[in-house]
Amino acid sequence: MKFHAVVMAAQRVGVVNELAADAGVSHKCLIEMDGKKLIEHVLDCLDASPEVDRVTVSVDDVSVLDGVPAFTRMQEQGKARAVEAATDLFASFLVAMEGGNRYPTLVTTADNVLLTPGMVKHFCTEIETTNARAAIAVTEKDVLLNVYPDGQRRFHKFADNEYSNCNLYAIVDKETSDLARVFQTGGQFAKSLARVLKAFGLWNAIAYRFSLYSLDKGMQRLSRKFKTQLVAVRMPFPEAPIDVDNFRSKKLANEILQARRAAE
């Protein structure tokens, strides 16, 4: 199974990103870390992943990619394209999916700089093994904090464990694409009970709020609600949930990138 990958790189409408402002660039995806722009780390990973054969970058101003060597290289090879982002994440996803041969697809973000081909392989293999039609990547709390005690502050609590989202998703076919609508009001929808209610329904929102179900049981309930096979793929990589979200995570991600390069 070969995947199309969508990289979400747009700025939030009307919001000045503090990391970008601090770095003196227009977009967070252009911040340089360990010799590359954030989005270059992600694109190089996807380019090196045999499971991915084409990439779409969703960004509010496609001209910002003119100075990104990884994008230019992949575009010249016919492997990458850029599309203008819409007003929200779901609408942007739909724009990125326009045209033929866009499924199955992976979705990630331009600040997911620690993503590796090994992580992509694990995620895609689990999707095929479980016959999932949609998937979300998560890492168990202890897997992350045992290696990086300052790696994350917020976790999704279920009856069996606590998990961190890895900013890596999959939609296998067009019939399942409506699942992405849960992000229509923003990527931080889980922080708002009203958004969770709208996306998942009253009882599922209550169950999430009070950790009534295990993660797998919760996925089974959502599968029935959306009439598809939705799975949570556990990522055994402590780096998987760490993106460049704030100054703390930026510092940690940079240290990990430098350590990886030194180990090469």
Side-chain angles (χ1 to χ4, degrees):
M1 186 183 293
K2 294 290 186 178
F3 286 80
H4 163 232
V6 175
V7 180
M8 295 294 188
Q11 298 276 73
R12 292 183 184 175
V13 178
V15 176
V16 176
N17 182 270
E18 61 177 356
L19 294 178
D22 180 71
V25 295
S26 61
H27 289 63
K28 186 170 74 168
C29 68
L30 300 180
I31 296 172
E32 289 204 6
M33 285 177 52
D34 196 40
K36 294 183 188 178
K37 296 174 175 61
L38 299 190
I39 194 169
E40 284 190 89
H41 288 285
V42 178
L43 290 174
D44 282 342
C45 167
L46 296 173
D47 196 24
S49 299
E51 297 78 13
V52 175
D53 65 357
R54 57 213 186 279
V55 176
T56 297
V57 179
S58 173
V59 62
D60 52 303
D61 180 2
V62 297
S63 69
V64 305
L65 299 174
D66 291 344
V68 179
F71 177 77
T72 301
R73 180 188 73 244
M74 293 174 69
Q75 186 181 48
E76 290 174 349
Q77 295 170 348
K79 191 173 181 178
R81 64 171 188 157
V83 297
E84 188 172 325
T87 54
D88 60 64
L89 286 175
F90 179 63
S92 295
F93 171 78
L94 293 181
V95 172
M97 299 307 290
E98 290 177 354
N101 196 28
R102 299 297 170 197
Y103 295 94
T105 194
L106 304 178
V107 181
T108 190
T109 55
D111 61 0
N112 197 8
V113 298
L114 300 183
L115 188 67
T116 66
M119 294 179 192
V120 173
K121 180 179 180 179
H122 177 83
F123 187 57
C124 294
T125 299
E126 287 297 305
I127 291 169
E128 291 199 66
T129 301
T130 59
N131 293 315
R133 311 319 294 165
I136 178 173
V138 298
T139 295
E140 295 176 352
K141 180 179 181 179
D142 289 347
V143 170
L144 169 61
L145 297 187
N146 284 346
V147 180
Y148 303 109
D150 200 33
Q152 183 60 276
R153 301 284 174 81
R154 295 175 62 92
F155 294 88
H156 298 283
K157 187 176 181 181
F158 290 83
D160 60 322
N161 209 330
E162 293 182 56
Y163 300 88
S164 183
N165 173 26
C166 298
N167 273 350
L168 185 61
Y169 312 90
I171 300 289
V172 173
D173 51 49
K174 187 174 183 180
E175 290 71 29
T176 313
S177 63
D178 202 53
L179 261 175
R181 192 179 295 277
V182 299
F183 294 106
Q184 191 162 21
T185 52
Q188 304 298 317
F189 76 96
K191 295 180 181 179
S192 167
L193 181 58
R195 291 176 179 178
V196 175
L197 279 169
K198 181 179 179 181
F200 301 131
L202 176 60
W203 179 249
N204 287 326
I206 292 172
Y208 173 78
R209 172 67 178 81
F210 295 102
S211 308
L212 299 182
Y213 298 128
S214 68
L215 176 61
D216 290 336
K217 178 68 173 179
M219 293 300 104
Q220 290 170 9
R221 290 186 59 86
L222 291 179
S223 294
R224 288 196 294 270
K225 174 178 173 57
F226 291 105
K227 297 180 175 60
T228 191
Q229 175 70 3
L230 172 64
V231 301
V233 175
R234 290 165 175 80
M235 304 289 282
F237 310 93
E239 299 84 8
I242 303 171
D243 59 12
V244 182
D245 196 42
N246 50 45
F247 288 103
R248 174 185 55 79
S249 58
K250 178 187 176 184
K251 179 176 181 295
L252 178 58
N254 192 51
E255 291 171 352
I256 295 171
L257 288 172
Q258 291 176 343
R260 284 179 178 176
R261 182 164 50 84
E264 291 177 351

